[in-house]
Amino acid sequence: MERRQVIRTMPVRPETPAAPQRRSEVAIDAYFEIKTRIHDRLIDLIDLSLLDTLEPAALKNEIAKLVERLLREEFTQTPLNLGERDKLIGEIQDEMLGLGPLEPFLKDPTVNDILVNGYSHIYVERKGRLERTDARFKDNEHLKKIIDRIVNRIGRRVDESTPMVDARLADGSRVNAIISPLALDGPALSIRKFSRDPLELDDLINYKALTPEIGEVFRGIVKARLNILISGGTGSGKTTMLNCLSRFVPENERIVTIEDAAELQLKQDHVVRLETRPANIEGKGEITQRDLVKNCLRMRPDRIIIGEVRGGEALDMLQAMNTGHDGSLATIHANTPRDALMRLETMVAMAGLNISPLSMKRFISSAVDVIIQISRLSDGSRKMISFQEISGMEGEVITMQEIFAFEQKGVDSDGKVRGAFVARGVRPKFSDKLTAKGISLPGTLFEPKPIADV
């Protein structure tokens, strides 16, 4: 498409006489004022109805030409050096086509989290460490527009009646936003990024999150259709581990995933992805995870994968695990495997199931086979710190036996955590199930010894 089809025929504003030469560094507020004025002029000059007809690369080039023209013809009173002009053009391209000041961080593969506390405070996490950036929005209204752009793309909304929202970006990155009147210092935005190239189990081994021997056991328990619960704190890598384990589900099995905001990155072809829906402005139409779990049982799933168990859906998940849907996977927020079981009990109680605490514990112990505990350590690294098998009940207590663990021994001069992965010397009950499925593991794998030093 030619340029004249995109640019409306409009008279060019008369050139303003050049202002006296100012210092090369433009004050922050003045810089944002210039950017806003140029952005407003672009809205006048570009036929927005034709934007979708252009390729992104051609559109970026078109915007760059227009900004150069405006700087040359209408903003001569604002001298900018070459670096400032390139920065301005790039930021306006991001403003028109992306998420404004956040766009560079979304493109940066070293950034894991983007945290916005009001318009002037943007933090990112790199390699497990938070750092404040120089980026900022013009004001809270500017930040609110970017939040609206994110949530509108997936048919959700955020306003005074619903000031909190969970959403996702096109690449599956998780987004949470909260605005006034709940956020007192301006809108707050949190983005958990996901790599365009999802991590594999071998990557976790290379990052020393676990060892090759433990990786072989993980591969085996997925193929043998054990019910797996992945436990950990915020940002510990639960979803990453869930993605990695899902790679070992055979291609000929039907997988149904259930999430609040779709972010799992499964590579199989036979996958049905389900996502919850919030209530509409009248408070109707909400579809919860529990509704989706109930529905997916009618969809003939071979595997059910729940992004995160956090409410009454725990009951239906456990029922599915107990009634023929072996091989289910889920994540849960908890600091230890024992805490994960306690949280499951609480969630089942939330579902209104009227059974005794003892029966509830037996229900849980017969459904869940293993718990993988993930943790983010003080140096920002993420590791599997405990792998436990649920072995049954003793009296009124669910019994577990730890198969592998990571024992921290200290911190070196660079602040890096030092420790070792160890086998506890317990041969798990599920090893017979693996053997029956034709999955063989070395007999010495579970002998009590350090597996690898980190």
Side-chain angles (χ1 to χ4, degrees), residues 324-338:
H325 294 89
D326 296 332
S328 298
L329 296 96
T331 73
I332 188 171
H333 269 281
N335 293 324
T336 67
R338 180 64 62 183

Side-chain angles (χ1 to χ4, degrees), residues 139-199:
D139 50 32
N140 282 329
E141 188 59 33
H142 182 200
L143 172 54
K144 175 64 166 54
K145 286 179 181 177
I146 296 298
I147 293 173
D148 287 336
R149 185 178 299 176
I150 293 171
V151 301
N152 289 342
R153 286 174 179 172
I154 62 167
R156 297 192 177 183
R157 73 184 197 286
V158 58
D159 51 36
E160 287 191 2
S161 62
T162 54
M164 297 184 294
V165 66
D166 285 313
R168 54 182 162 78
L169 303 181
D171 64 357
S173 296
R174 182 193 315 166
V175 179
N176 177 270
I178 182 167
I179 64 171
S180 62
L182 302 185
L184 302 181
D185 299 320
L189 178 67
S190 306
I191 299 177
R192 169 68 52 79
K193 281 181 57 183
F194 284 90
S195 171
R196 287 187 174 86
D197 234 355
L199 294 178

Side-chain angles (χ1 to χ4, degrees), residues 241-406:
M241 177 63 74
L242 184 59
N243 268 320
C244 291
L245 295 185
S246 72
R247 303 285 184 266
F248 308 124
V249 176
E251 287 283 350
N252 61 350
E253 293 188 9
R254 178 177 173 85
I255 305 170
V256 179
T257 69
I258 297 167
E259 302 171 83
D260 270 334
E263 57 189 358
L264 291 173
Q265 299 166 295
L266 274 65
K267 291 189 174 180
Q268 289 86 343
D269 289 329
H270 200 171
V271 177
V272 179
R273 302 168 70 213
L274 305 180
E275 185 179 61
T276 62
R277 186 179 72 183
N280 61 21
I281 198 168
E282 288 138 7
K284 299 179 180 178
E286 180 183 17
I287 304 296
T288 65
Q289 281 199 145
R290 187 172 188 188
D291 297 327
L292 294 178
V293 173
K294 289 178 179 177
N295 185 79
C296 88
L297 297 178
R298 305 184 185 101
M299 298 172 65
R300 197 228 166 263
D302 290 306
R303 305 269 185 156
I304 301 172
I305 299 179
I306 301 179
E308 182 184 335
V309 182
R310 59 176 61 166
E313 68 273 5
L315 170 61
D316 302 281
M317 177 194 73
L318 294 171
Q319 286 180 328
M321 291 176 172
N322 269 322
T323 55
H325 294 89
D326 296 332
S328 298
L329 296 96
T331 73
I332 188 171
H333 269 281
N335 293 324
T336 67
R338 180 64 62 183
D339 287 346
L341 293 179
M342 292 172 61
R343 284 210 69 205
L344 271 182
E345 292 179 38
T346 303
M347 292 174 190
V348 172
M350 289 168 58
L353 184 62
N354 189 21
I355 61 173
S356 69
L358 180 59
S359 298
M360 184 187 302
K361 289 178 179 179
R362 286 176 176 163
F363 186 57
I364 293 171
S365 67
S366 64
V368 181
D369 294 308
V370 296
I371 298 177
I372 300 172
Q373 185 70 37
I374 310 293
S375 181
R376 181 170 62 175
L377 305 181
S378 58
D379 61 354
S381 63
R382 296 165 171 87
K383 298 188 188 302
M384 182 227 75
I385 61 169
S386 182
F387 174 53
Q388 301 204 19
E389 177 186 39
I390 295 180
S391 54
M393 293 279 297
E394 283 188 8
E396 298 185 1
V397 179
I398 299 175
T399 56
M400 294 189 291
Q401 51 187 12
E402 190 169 61
I403 313 300
F404 301 112
F406 177 77

Side-chain angles (χ1 to χ4, degrees), residues 33-50:
E33 181 63 28
I34 294 166
K35 192 168 76 170
T36 302
R37 287 168 59 198
I38 292 177
H39 183 266
D40 292 342
R41 284 291 290 137
L42 283 175
I43 298 298
D44 290 338
L45 289 172
I46 294 179
D47 188 344
L48 298 179
S49 65
L50 297 176

Side-chain angles (χ1 to χ4, degrees), residues 109-142:
T110 66
V111 172
N112 299 320
D113 287 88
I114 304 170
L115 308 172
V116 182
N117 306 341
Y119 73 93
S120 60
H121 295 78
I122 300 178
Y123 294 82
V124 298
E125 183 195 277
R126 286 187 175 94
K127 298 179 180 178
R129 301 294 181 97
L130 281 177
E131 57 187 64
R132 184 172 174 178
T133 71
D134 294 330
R136 52 166 279 178
F137 293 85
K138 180 188 177 186
D139 50 32
N140 282 329
E141 188 59 33
H142 182 200

